[in-house]
Amino acid sequence: IHKLGDIPNLFVDEATYMNEIRSIARHGTDMHGLHWPLYFAGIFGNGQSVEYAYLAAPLIKLFGFSITLARLPMVLFTLLTMILILYMVQSQSKPNSLGFWLILSLATSPWIFISARWILDCNIAPLTLLLGVLALIQSWHVQQQRWSTIWTILSVFLIAASLYGYMAGWLYIPIMLLLIAIYVLRQHKMTLVNLISYAIILGLLAMPLIIFAYHFILLKDSTPGKFLWFSYPAMPVARMGSFIDFKAPHLIHTMLLNFVAGLQKYSSGSDGWPWNSVSGYGTIFPFLLGFSVLGILT
């Protein structure tokens, strides 16, 4: 939290997002006057996610706007996530030292310093998704049916919320949920009826976003619109680059080039954008990639 209002410096996307938060807090609308927006148009009309704005707006409404207060919920949410990860690991693993090493690896990650203190619209989504998965795992381990149900409901709300935090999540979260569903059924963690109920609730919570995605991506409709009491903005700049274009030429070749480029970024520890990196450290520790592979295999 030290010097949270000064370090890092403001970036254009963050400044735009802070204006959206301030507008939600003061007027109950985004900067274009839309009530309950599902997505922000952004300064260039290329879009920003809304999840973090709804998390931070109550604080701004209560205490007024400042850069420190706008960033503070992200810091606290990150710390809360790390504490819950520690609790889950300590309560369900035998080696008492495992939680210590896990928290040490998270707390010293250069990316944590950036993502926890710098507001981009998508930073909140991985944390919300992670908390949703942790809540689902917790529901399998509690003995009382009542608490199992509470954890399950919390899980579906958090995973649904993560969809409102990052457009790229619309691609990988359905695949991840399908794999989790297969695991749940094979391991008898949930009954088929409970799993179907989980999917229905998740679908209902995501329905406003699905309608927006249908208009924006499939119909290529860039005009503003409404669904129930929610609004979605005009989006003059397409975000098709965030998705897979199956009609593009040389699709497999392009995928391989992207994969190699990704490996180069991981091995160097930086994506080449200085505002995404901590000076002298980069974004990630390439040394830890070995442990990632080990974790995936085990």
Side-chain angles (χ1 to χ4, degrees):
I1 297 176
H2 180 61
K3 292 187 177 181
L4 185 59
D6 301 317
I7 301 174
N9 290 329
L10 273 175
F11 183 65
V12 59
D13 288 342
E14 186 185 30
T16 303
Y17 201 74
M18 285 184 180
N19 282 329
E20 295 285 14
I21 294 173
R22 185 163 53 180
S23 181
I24 292 288
R26 289 183 175 178
H27 310 295
T29 68
D30 68 2
M31 290 193 296
H32 294 83
L34 297 178
H35 292 274
W36 291 105
L38 295 167
Y39 211 70
F40 295 133
I43 189 172
F44 304 114
N46 58 346
Q48 288 182 306
S49 301
V50 297
E51 182 190 352
Y52 184 77
Y54 288 124
L55 182 68
L59 189 68
I60 301 302
K61 189 174 183 65
L62 284 173
F63 301 105
F65 177 81
S66 70
I67 294 176
T68 299
L69 281 179
R71 287 173 168 175
L72 184 61
M74 190 66 207
V75 176
L76 299 179
F77 201 80
T78 302
L79 292 173
L80 173 64
T81 303
M82 294 170 67
I83 290 169
L84 291 177
I85 292 173
L86 176 61
Y87 167 75
M88 291 285 291
V89 171
Q90 290 293 81
S91 63
Q92 297 177 26
S93 63
K94 293 180 181 179
N96 291 328
S97 61
L98 185 60
F100 168 76
W101 292 112
L102 178 62
I103 288 299
L104 182 65
S105 67
L106 287 173
T108 59
S109 168
W111 177 241
I112 288 291
F113 183 82
I114 295 294
S115 65
R117 294 172 61 96
W118 187 39
I119 301 173
L120 288 186
D121 60 303
C122 55
N123 283 9
I124 193 72
L127 298 180
T128 315
L129 178 62
L130 177 58
L131 288 177
V133 174
L134 289 177
L136 183 61
I137 294 172
Q138 183 67 10
S139 72
W140 304 336
H141 291 277
V142 293
Q143 300 298 323
Q144 296 181 358
Q145 182 61 40
R146 176 188 174 188
W147 280 106
S148 178
T149 303
I150 291 173
W151 280 110
T152 303
I153 293 173
L154 180 62
S155 168
V156 73
F157 271 89
L158 286 168
I159 291 177
S162 70
L163 292 169
Y164 292 83
Y166 193 18
M167 182 182 279
W170 303 352
L171 272 177
Y172 66 79
I173 290 178
I175 297 172
M176 185 199 76
L177 290 175
L178 178 62
L179 295 175
I180 289 178
I182 294 171
Y183 171 80
V184 163
L185 290 177
R186 287 176 60 90
Q187 298 295 324
H188 305 290
K189 300 291 187 181
M190 295 171 66
T191 65
L192 181 60
V193 173
N194 287 343
L195 189 61
I196 292 174
S197 300
Y198 189 99
I200 291 173
I201 295 172
L202 182 62
L204 290 174
L205 292 172
M207 186 58 64
L209 206 58
I210 293 172
I211 297 298
F212 165 62
Y214 171 75
H215 280 273
F216 177 52
I217 297 171
L218 295 181
L219 298 182
K220 294 180 170 51
D221 182 3
S222 61
T223 59
K226 289 183 69 69
F227 174 73
L228 300 177
W229 54 86
F230 299 101
S231 305
Y232 51 87
M235 299 280 287
V237 180
R239 294 294 297 270
M240 296 305 105
S242 301
F243 293 93
I244 299 173
D245 183 4
F246 290 101
K247 296 180 181 179
H250 314 298
L251 178 62
I252 302 298
H253 179 67
T254 302
M255 291 171 66
L256 290 174
L257 290 178
N258 288 339
F259 179 72
V260 171
L263 290 179
Q264 291 174 342
K265 291 173 183 178
Y266 277 113
S267 62
S268 67
S270 176
D271 62 0
W273 300 104
W275 49 79
N276 285 341
S277 301
V278 177
S279 179
Y281 293 93
T283 304
I284 60 170
F285 291 132
F287 173 73
L288 291 179
L289 288 177
F291 293 98
S292 301
V293 174
L294 181 64
I296 290 171
L297 294 178
T298 54

